[in-house]
Amino acid sequence: MTSRKVIIKKSTFDPWQEQEAYQAQSMQGQTSYGATASFIGTMRHFNEGDEVAAMELEHYPKMTEKQLNLIIVTAEKKWLIQNTLIIHRVGKILPGEPIMLVAVWSAHRAAAFDACRYLMEELKHRAPFWKKEQLVTGDSRWVEKNTDGYE
Amino acid sequence: MCYDNYMKIKIHYFASLRENIGRSEDVIESQTESLTVKQAWQQATGLPELQDDLLIAVNQEYTSEDVLLSDGDELAFFPPVTGG
């Protein structure tokens, strides 16, 4: 049995608590998984050599959820994964705050690690989110492009 | 008058494109026999070409500028995505 959950959050969240809550709600009594891989993206206070004070994350609501679910379905076809949880922030984010969480549960570590990495890279390239940085100088700028995660 | 070919398309713009165009959405109406994404872009924005790096979605799925639209489609244009 596979199950998946996608959550878009307008305010800050605790990725560890969210994982625990998901396990308690959706995986109660489940003893078929032996591996959990999770990735947490956190906002840095610097980017491209500049100090960043805050960030505004914009998204295309309906498409975000549709694309993230499509990405998970594709991962489920590639690996034997049992549960997937993706959480992504929108709105104003400050340095040190989590931006996103991808967590994958599977029987063995290879599927968990590989699917988690795949979901992360696909999210970066397909999910319609856009970051606008507010620099400490008072200027603001759009992040133009995500870097290739495998470089 | 024949309304058989009538099409109403809602268009969304996001991020830097939204700021450059100066609005977040348009609704266009068309009586042509067929309407491509590119023609809808031209009708809505008055701009001849789509920038090379712009992404296009019809009904929340990625597509290209030559695709034909249907009445009621939701069209969106946006710059490269930068989530994660």
Side-chain angles (χ1 to χ4, degrees):
Chain A
M1 205 195 89
T2 60
S3 79
R4 64 189 84 100
K5 193 167 189 181
V6 170
I7 306 171
I8 307 299
K9 289 236 183 235
K10 291 189 173 128
S11 55
T12 196
F13 68 102
D14 180 328
W16 309 107
Q17 269 178 21
E18 292 286 344
Q19 270 187 94
E20 244 176 64
Y22 175 78
Q23 289 199 154
Q25 283 157 20
S26 305
M27 298 171 62
Q28 214 173 25
Q30 198 171 314
T31 52
S32 52
Y33 67 92
T36 308
S38 57
F39 177 90
I40 296 163
T42 304
M43 191 191 156
R44 290 187 306 268
H45 73 277
F46 65 92
N47 194 29
E48 312 246 338
D50 296 302
E51 293 270 320
V52 185
M55 197 163 74
E56 189 73 32
L57 246 153
E58 178 174 335
H59 78 310
Y60 178 2
K62 271 195 292 184
M63 184 167 174
T64 304
E65 296 184 9
K66 193 168 185 175
Q67 289 298 318
L68 289 176
N69 278 295
L70 278 173
I71 292 166
I72 299 172
V73 169
T74 308
E76 286 168 353
K77 287 179 186 152
K78 290 165 94 82
W79 294 280
L80 282 170
I81 54 178
Q82 295 168 14
N83 295 80
T84 306
L85 172 65
I86 297 181
I87 302 179
H88 204 294
R89 269 298 310 278
V90 293
K92 189 179 182 180
I93 305 178
L94 300 172
E97 288 183 350
I99 302 169
M100 48 116 17
L101 162 75
V102 174
V104 180
W105 289 262
S106 64
H108 303 287
R109 67 186 181 282
F113 271 127
D114 292 354
C116 187
R117 181 72 191 266
Y118 171 85
L119 289 166
M120 187 58 217
E121 298 303 328
E122 287 294 292
L123 179 154
K124 283 252 179 198
H125 291 104
R126 303 189 65 82
F129 294 100
W130 301 272
K131 291 178 181 141
K132 190 176 197 179
E133 295 173 336
Q134 286 152 23
L135 305 182
V136 292
T137 57
D139 292 336
S140 66
R141 67 183 181 198
W142 290 97
V143 175
E144 285 181 5
K145 209 171 172 248
N146 273 338
T147 50
D148 185 341
Y150 288 98
E151 266 176 8
Chain B
M1 213 170 158
C2 175
Y3 285 94
D4 284 356
N5 299 319
Y6 174 80
M7 265 192 272
K8 193 172 178 179
I9 308 286
K10 191 169 187 181
I11 307 178
H12 295 278
Y13 311 106
F14 291 96
S16 55
L17 179 69
R18 171 177 52 76
E19 289 185 346
N20 293 341
I21 287 183
R23 57 188 182 275
S24 60
E25 55 184 59
D26 276 320
V27 174
I28 60 162
E29 294 177 60
S30 168
Q31 291 280 2
T32 51
E33 208 150 290
S34 68
L35 184 72
T36 65
V37 165
K38 187 174 178 179
Q39 288 167 332
W41 161 269
Q42 290 166 336
Q43 191 176 328
T45 66
L47 299 167
E49 297 293 330
L50 277 102
Q51 287 160 248
D52 278 348
D53 63 348
L54 281 188
L55 297 171
I56 304 161
V58 172
N59 301 328
Q60 303 93 44
E61 289 187 22
Y62 287 102
T63 190
S64 61
E65 64 177 32
D66 303 320
V67 158
L68 288 173
L69 295 164
S70 306
D71 185 31
D73 278 349
E74 181 178 299
L75 176 59
F77 298 102
F78 45 83
V81 299
T82 55

